[in-house]
């Protein structure tokens, strides 16, 4: 039996335990609230895994088994994440004397389905890779297809990891992730032979078959060659000339976040998937590091890329999604 004296300390202990428990619970609730208030954390290492996974599928040339495998992978991943998927496919002639193929752009939508005018964010990357390594030093290797770790897989890896984040934390704003096909089969000196998928998608905006709504769009950010270990992203020329406000807004955010790869300096003009949209009056910016020695060579492999570079670009777009 307990005497009154021996009971007191026990009561104190019980009370203390309850107090400690309540305090812990309180701080747990607080921590959870803070976590929800902060944008989800984009992990460069996870994006790097997704970059390698794409390269392991082999070349993703339009019409190839690798291209098909990656498209199916994107679609499955989007459906598993509970996101909306639309495909935009069409038959087309191909440059470089290649046989006609069916190209398929894939659009994955997250957040609210309906958006006010000028509020949805479009993020794009090309998932196809170049059929040849025509700039390789070794002439014997120039007819090899590109691995495309940076030129293809890097932008797609960022979008794939964003899907994982948006599956857990649905964004308040509407977001459309656009996976372009047929970007990189063109011939030098003929810009129109590149970006076939995006030309078709931009050229049919407003049509019934097109999953994108131009009225609700705030702007398009294209991610291309953003995995370079030695990353430097200036303001691409066409973006700056035709969408100066949107371009400056995106780069100012990068500087505010302290991302060292981004520079407000003007860069060269590059015909990329953003150009057909600029021609249609959609504000669009191309985030691209064109200073990449293994470009269109057999050296465009995962070792030329880094998780730290993917992390910087991923952090920027995550912030823009969750902090419009
Ligand atoms: Zn390329």
């Amino acid at each position: 039996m307990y005497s009154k004296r021996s009971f007191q300390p026990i009561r104190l202990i019980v009370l203390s335990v309850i107090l400690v428990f309540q305090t812990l619970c309180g701080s747990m609730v607080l921590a959870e609230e803070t976590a929800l208030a902060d944008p989800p954390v984009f992990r460069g290492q996870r994006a790097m895994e997704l970059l390698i996974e794409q390269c392991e599928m082999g070349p993703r040339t339009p019409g190839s088994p690798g291209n098909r495998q990656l498209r199916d992978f994107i679609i499955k991943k989007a459906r598993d994440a509970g996101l909306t998927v639309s495909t935009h496919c069409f038959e087309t002639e191909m440059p470089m004397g290649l046989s006609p193929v069916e190209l398929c752009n894939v659009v994955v939508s997250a957040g609210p389905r309906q958006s006010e005018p000028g509020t949805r964010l479009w993020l794009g990357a090309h998932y196809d890779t170049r059929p040849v390594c025509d700039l390789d030093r070794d002439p014997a290797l120039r007819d090899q297809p590109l691995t495309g770790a940076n030129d293809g897989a890097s932008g797609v890896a960022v979008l794939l990891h964003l899907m994982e984040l948006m599956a857990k934390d649905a964004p308040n704003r509407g977001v459309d992730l656009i996976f372009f096909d047929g970007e990189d089969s063109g011939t030098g000196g003929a810009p129109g032979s590149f970006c076939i998928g995006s030309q078709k998608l931009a050229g049919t905006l407003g049509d019934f078959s097109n999953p994108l709504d131009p009225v609700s769009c705030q702007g398009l950010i294209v991610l291309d060659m953003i995995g370079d270990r030695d990353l430097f992203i200036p303001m691409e020329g066409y973006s700056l000339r035709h969408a100066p406000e949107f371009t400056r807004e995106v780069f100012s955010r990068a500087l505010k976040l302290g991302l060292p790869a981004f520079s407000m300096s003007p860069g060269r003009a590059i015909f990329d998937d953003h150009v057909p949209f600029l021609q249609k009056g959609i504000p669009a910016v191309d985030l691209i590091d064109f200073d990449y020695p293994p470009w269109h060579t057999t050296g465009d492999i995962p070792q030329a890329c880094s998780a730290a570079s993917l992390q910087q670009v991923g952090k920027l777009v995550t912030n823009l999604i969750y902090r419009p």
Side-chain angles (χ1 to χ4, degrees):
M1 104 190 248
Y2 297 102
S3 74
K4 220 176 176 186
R5 254 168 185 264
S6 65
F7 182 62
Q8 278 305 85
I10 284 173
R11 233 174 73 162
L12 265 176
I13 288 166
V14 169
L15 273 173
S16 312
V17 166
I18 290 170
L19 264 173
V20 167
F21 183 68
Q22 279 178 341
T23 316
L24 269 176
C25 284
S27 57
M28 269 157 67
V29 168
L30 205 66
E32 203 166 31
E33 276 169 3
T34 319
L36 283 176
D38 284 334
V41 176
F42 185 96
R43 293 196 309 113
Q45 197 52 53
R46 174 64 189 141
M48 192 67 194
E49 287 168 16
L50 292 161
L51 178 152
I52 293 167
E53 203 169 337
Q54 291 174 72
C55 294
E56 286 170 351
M57 295 176 191
R60 281 88 67 211
T61 308
S64 69
N67 181 286
R68 183 72 214 218
Q69 192 184 344
L70 178 53
R71 188 196 318 160
D72 291 346
F73 179 84
I74 293 166
I75 293 170
K76 181 175 188 308
K77 200 163 172 64
R79 290 203 176 124
D80 289 350
L83 306 175
T84 309
V85 193
S86 315
T87 50
H88 175 257
C89 306
F90 60 100
E91 285 276 340
T92 182
E93 300 286 324
M94 292 298 283
M96 285 199 252
L98 300 163
S99 316
V101 289
E102 185 187 54
L103 296 183
C104 285
N105 299 308
V106 180
V107 177
V108 175
S109 305
R113 285 196 179 211
Q114 302 289 333
S115 300
E116 295 294 311
T119 59
R120 282 187 90 82
L121 184 61
W122 294 356
L123 296 165
H126 73 89
Y127 74 93
D128 66 302
T129 50
R130 190 161 179 76
V132 287
C133 290
D134 45 339
L135 295 182
D136 205 278
R137 276 182 170 194
D138 182 350
L141 299 176
R142 287 181 193 157
D143 59 355
Q144 296 277 310
L146 194 81
T147 301
N150 191 26
D151 194 357
S154 67
V156 171
V158 169
L159 299 191
L160 289 171
H161 185 35
L162 283 178
M163 275 192 211
E164 295 173 342
L165 300 183
M166 293 193 295
K168 279 196 207 137
D169 287 293
N172 287 328
R173 77 181 307 184
V175 179
D176 297 304
L177 307 179
I178 312 171
F179 298 87
F180 297 112
D181 200 357
E183 189 268 356
D184 218 352
S185 298
T187 47
S193 61
F194 288 86
C195 306
I196 301 174
S198 54
Q199 289 189 60
K200 186 74 169 183
L201 201 58
T204 56
L205 281 175
D207 286 6
F208 179 70
S209 64
N210 193 310
L212 296 169
D213 169 26
V215 177
S216 63
C217 175
Q218 182 207 3
L220 163 68
I221 303 175
V222 168
L223 312 179
D224 194 7
M225 298 170 65
I226 44 83
D228 184 349
R229 295 185 79 91
D230 174 26
L231 193 65
F232 177 74
I233 305 180
M235 296 164 109
E236 185 277 329
Y238 292 118
S239 315
L240 195 53
R241 196 174 316 150
H242 299 287
E245 258 178 53
F246 185 58
T247 302
R248 290 207 177 89
E249 193 181 325
V250 170
F251 276 77
S252 311
R253 184 68 66 96
L255 294 199
K256 212 179 272 179
L257 292 169
L259 305 171
F262 290 84
S263 162
M264 298 283 272
S265 58
R268 55 188 285 188
I270 296 150
F271 189 93
D272 207 347
D273 288 319
H274 65 314
V275 173
F277 291 90
L278 284 171
Q279 287 168 340
K280 290 282 167 185
I282 301 284
V285 56
D286 192 22
L287 301 183
I288 186 164
D289 179 358
F290 206 61
D291 179 14
Y292 178 62
W295 182 56
H296 291 184
T297 73
T298 51
D300 185 3
I301 54 175
Q303 287 76 2
C305 301
S306 81
S309 297
L310 298 172
Q311 167 87 37
Q312 288 197 50
V313 175
K315 184 170 179 178
L316 170 62
V317 290
T318 304
N319 195 274
L320 288 165
I321 287 173
Y322 290 91
R323 289 276 180 279

